[in-house]
């Protein structure tokens, strides 16, 4: 009798649970028509879709995870592990419904596919982005708010660049917001061989906000604004026309370029995973980075080496805080430029500015061109995968100019071909391979070779919370990169109790 009662009770509970779930779905659909798209509506969508993964954090994932921007200032020591739990559709719907937003967050099979991509296949990258979000999101949110735009648009930077301001696509799009050269210039960004404001987190965010405002004035629909950011308004207009005037993203879906079809689902999935990462056992990386910063105005020619040596600050840190300066040169003699520094160093810079500007200036700027012309002829050897557009974006010129200079009739260019490019170099000789300023002085032996031949080392036992950056700060003359090279490691991760070698400089 007890067994019968148990089965009857279980059946009733199961029935009530199913009914509650159905009621929840119905209520959510009534309260927000965008929260769910019926499964049957997405069948046709999925038939021709292979999983699209953003180029900025897939095709060159190893490079992204090891770039100095992330590598030197990230310490992964969560001490907590856990699998990605199985989540039902009703839970996904309810969680998306709870998020404060203006942009519609529709749920369907395609959105779920991309949530699974973030939560399962790209767990390490998501944890990196969660760590860097603490640095980039406040400045992005402040800028979005100043334009009276939805704050959730910040998640487009996750889709575009994985929050890497130095990200560069095959097509030449660059920065957090992945502007191509013409669009960046159209929205007021300075792009030349020394300065690329597409890589400036604040200025590029202002440019993105202006684009969002312009597109919303046209479409009055945030999903179409997001779609246009990916494929341009021309392609969105074609899709609207082919759909006989429909203006809902999901209704013009099949008429959009393939990449754009997955762009809005990726954005919705990014909103979800960056908000509910705890529920998927994801933990933000610890970023050993100076979140308290200040800016100083530069009115002289300044090289990062000058700042690093006089202020005793690591050059890699200057690069991370100022990614817009492509060759470690601030051309403040032409017009005022901003330099971002850890707050504690800003006052020291003001006090020592003249000393900094004169330190090694003849050596660092020895190859400065004496003439009034800043144009320099260089040769670029085409690498596999490069296009005229990506080469043009690299040097801050137009692809049409490269065609003219080289007598090309087609946009196609063969791997290995040598191209002539005339660049505005700000008065400096450019090494196109290393992107550094060349000098005519004899190249000294590098610190790396000196340290590697130094036979005097001390052993250091890693403590919880240590990173290569925090350890290097306690040993003058040693950088995080030096420590990684000497210990023959490629990953920046450290484990408590691990013993590493530190050179005595």
């Amino acid at each position: 009798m007890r067994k019968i009662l148990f089965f009857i009770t279980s059946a009733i509970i199961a029935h009530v649970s199913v009914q509650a779930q159905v009621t929840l779905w119905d209520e959510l659909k009534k309260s927000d028509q965008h929260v769910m798209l019926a499964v049957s509506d997405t069948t046709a969508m999925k038939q021709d879709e292979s999983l699209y993964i953003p180029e900025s954090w897939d095709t060159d994932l190893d490079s992204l995870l090891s770039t100095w921007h992330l590598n030197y200032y990230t310490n992964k020591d969560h001490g907590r592990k856990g699998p990605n739990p199985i989540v039902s559709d009703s839970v996904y719907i309810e969680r998306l419904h709870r998020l404060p937003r203006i942009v519609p967050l529709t749920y369907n099979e395609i959105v779920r596919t991309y949530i699974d991509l973030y939560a399962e296949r790209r767990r390490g990258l998501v944890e990196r982005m969660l760590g860097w979000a603490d640095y980039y999101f406040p400045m992005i949110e402040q800028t979005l708010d100043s334009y009276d735009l939805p704050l959730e648009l910040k998640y487009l930077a996750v889709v575009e660049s994985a929050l890497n301001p130095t990200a560069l696509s095959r097509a030449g799009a660059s920065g957090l917001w992945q502007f191509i050269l013409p669009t960046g210039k159209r929205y007021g960004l300075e792009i030349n061989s020394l300065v690329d404001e597409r890589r400036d987190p604040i200025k590029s965010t202002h440019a993105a906000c202006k684009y969002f405002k312009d597109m919303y004035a046209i479409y009055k629909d945030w999903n179409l604004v997001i779609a246009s950011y990916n494929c341009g308004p021309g392609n969105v207009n074609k899709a609207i026309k082919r759909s006989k005037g429909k203006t809902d993203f999901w209704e013009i879906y099949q008429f959009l370029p393939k990449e754009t079809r997955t762009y809005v689902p990726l954005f919705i999935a990014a909103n979800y995973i960056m908000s509910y990462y705890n529920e998927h056992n994801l933990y933000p990386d610890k970023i050993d980075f100076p979140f308290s910063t200040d800016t100083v105005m530069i009115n002289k020619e300044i090289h990062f080496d000058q700042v690093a040596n006089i202020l005793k600050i690591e050059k890699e840190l200057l690069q991370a805080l100022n990614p817009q300066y492509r060759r470690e040169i601030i051309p403040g003699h032409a017009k005022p430029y901003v330099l971002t520094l850890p707050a504690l160093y800003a006052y020291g810079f003001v006090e020592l500015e003249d000393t900094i500007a004169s330190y090694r200036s003849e050596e660092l700027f020895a190859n400065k061109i004496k003439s009034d012309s800043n144009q320099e002829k260089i040769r670029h050897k085409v690498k596999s995968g490069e296009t005229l557009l990506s080469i043009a974006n690299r040097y801050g010129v137009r692809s049409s100019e490269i065609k003219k200079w080289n007598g090309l009739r087609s946009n196609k260019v063969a791997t290995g071909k040598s191209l002539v490019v005339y660049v505005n170099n700000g008065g400096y000789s450019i090494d196109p391979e290393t992107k550094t300023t060349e000098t005519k002085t004899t190249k000294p032996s590098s610190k790396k070779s000196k340290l590697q031949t130094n036979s005097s080392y001390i052993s250091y036992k890693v403590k919880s919370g240590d990173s290569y950056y925090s350890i290097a700060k306690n040993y003058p003359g040693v950088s995080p990169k030096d420590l990684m090279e000497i210990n023959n490691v490629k990953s920046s991760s450290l484990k408590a109790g691990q013993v590493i070698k530190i050179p005595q400089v």
Side-chain angles (χ1 to χ4, degrees), residues 392-437:
N393 275 284
R394 178 175 183 176
Y395 295 111
V397 298
R398 297 184 180 277
S399 56
S400 58
E401 291 176 319
I402 296 179
K403 288 175 67 176
K404 179 180 177 181
W405 294 328
N406 293 275
L408 301 176
R409 296 182 179 180
S410 168
N411 287 323
K412 295 181 180 180
V413 59
T415 300
K417 182 177 177 60
S418 180
L419 295 176
V420 171
V421 183
Y422 293 91
V423 297
N424 180 348
N425 62 13
Y428 303 93
S429 179
I430 296 169
D431 176 354
E433 294 304 316
T434 62
K435 298 184 180 181
T436 59
T437 303

Side-chain angles (χ1 to χ4, degrees), residues 60-74:
D60 199 17
L61 185 60
D62 291 338
S63 152
L64 171 63
L65 293 180
S66 63
T67 181
W68 55 260
H69 171 70
L70 297 172
N71 208 29
Y72 292 118
Y73 305 102
T74 305

Side-chain angles (χ1 to χ4, degrees), residues 1-27:
M1 183 67 181
R2 287 180 180 176
K3 287 185 178 180
I4 294 173
L5 287 174
F6 171 78
F7 286 122
I8 292 173
T9 304
S10 298
I12 292 172
I13 291 172
H15 177 72
V16 170
S17 176
V18 171
Q19 286 297 108
Q21 190 179 80
V22 172
T23 302
L24 172 65
W25 285 35
D26 289 341
E27 288 302 313

